Amino acid sequence: MTGHGTNSSLVAHPGGTPVIDPGSDHPAHLEAILAAGGGRITHILLTHTHRDHLTGARPLGRMTGAPVCGFRHSAVASFTPDIALDDGSVVAGLTALHTPGHATDHLCFLTAEGIVFTGDHIMGWSTTMVPPAPDGSVRQFLDGLERISALAPSLLLPAHGAPISTPETCIPALIAHRLSREDRILAALRQGPATLDNMMRRVYRAIPASLHRAAELNLLAHLEKLRDDGRAMHDHAVWRADAAHGDSPPPREPARPAP
């Protein structure tokens, strides 16, 4: 589910070269990063701790002596960053933006020139997977999209897929896609109470069996948001529309200002 793999980025900085998302621990991949770094790698930055981003971090750290930097509350119990980052932390000229939704410890990284390394929050080949709580949140994902949009970035560099040169159209399209999916889920709920499995078959009618589990998790994350918004109800493994509020979306709070 990573498209053509994970993009590892090296960023020019007067004090050295940070690497964002070292990705795989495949020896040839790590050697390619070393060669591109030209002996100047100073930091290893993780957008989040999913294994396709994390696996190469410690091996690359041992090869370069560079510290591994990640969000202060790691989503992986066995991993603690050498340098703990918070929202607004600045490291090697990059500002960390805490953007949970796809993962609780997800960070994007903003350059002084207005380029955002978006990790998996915004991808270049597909909309990202948003899992249910406690690992993910559709509301936090949407808040993060609005926050990045408010920065008016000049370029988005995702961890999967090609660069995105039109953030001003890409980000609103991603928000519209999620809200459209929410409308489809509400329409399916109005057909009558259903279990998660039945809801998945109502909403995702023509997906291969290999993607059923991912679709179910994504659906559950949306249902949790609708429940928190007072537009859906959950009772003994059965979901139903909230008759009083199902057609009234709550007002959205503005995204947090950029640090």
Side-chain angles (χ1 to χ4, degrees):
M1 298 181 69
T2 64
H4 296 289
T6 303
N7 298 327
S8 298
S9 301
L10 291 86
V11 186
H13 183 257
T17 301
V19 176
I20 300 175
D21 286 333
S24 169
D25 62 356
H26 191 284
H29 174 66
L30 296 180
E31 289 294 340
I33 293 176
L34 283 176
R40 289 173 51 82
I41 294 174
T42 56
H43 298 81
I44 299 166
L45 278 58
L46 296 173
T47 59
H48 60 299
T49 52
H50 288 169
R51 64 185 306 272
D52 55 316
H53 299 252
L54 174 64
T55 306
R58 289 302 184 201
L60 185 62
R62 289 191 291 270
M63 297 165 77
T64 61
V68 179
C69 312
F71 188 59
R72 59 187 174 86
H73 293 307
S74 174
V76 176
S78 60
F79 172 77
T80 300
D82 300 321
I83 297 178
L85 303 178
D86 208 336
D87 186 63
S89 295
V90 178
V91 57
L94 299 165
T95 300
L97 308 173
H98 185 215
T99 48
H102 173 73
T104 59
D105 58 359
H106 196 285
L107 296 170
C108 293
F109 293 98
L110 172 67
T111 73
E113 296 78 20
I115 297 170
V116 180
F117 293 87
T118 60
D120 286 10
H121 195 74
I122 300 173
M123 301 198 300
W125 75 287
S126 173
T127 184
T128 196
M129 170 71 183
V130 179
D135 301 314
S137 164
V138 172
R139 176 171 291 284
Q140 290 180 335
F141 173 70
L142 290 171
D143 287 347
L145 288 178
E146 291 183 350
R147 183 184 184 190
I148 293 174
S149 180
L151 296 172
S154 59
L155 181 69
L156 304 178
L157 295 176
H160 304 287
I164 299 169
S165 59
T166 55
E168 69 279 4
T169 57
C170 171
I171 297 175
L174 289 174
I175 293 172
H177 170 79
R178 290 288 169 174
L179 296 180
S180 174
R181 177 59 51 80
E182 191 171 275
D183 288 342
R184 286 180 58 190
I185 294 170
L186 279 172
L189 280 173
R190 294 187 195 106
Q191 297 175 27
T195 64
L196 182 63
D197 180 67
N198 287 336
M199 278 294 298
M200 191 269 291
R201 297 176 191 280
R202 289 179 187 177
V203 176
Y204 299 93
R205 295 188 180 91
I207 63 170
S210 61
L211 294 179
H212 279 189
R213 178 57 177 163
E216 192 175 78
L217 291 172
N218 191 61
L219 172 60
L220 180 55
H222 273 277
L223 286 167
E224 288 177 342
K225 177 182 177 295
L226 290 170
R227 178 201 61 203
D228 295 343
D229 290 345
R231 306 173 76 194
M233 302 172 62
H234 181 231
D235 182 33
H236 301 296
V238 174
W239 289 90
R240 66 187 78 240
D242 186 315
H245 304 98
D247 292 311
S248 302
R252 288 188 57 75
E253 296 181 0
R256 295 170 297 170

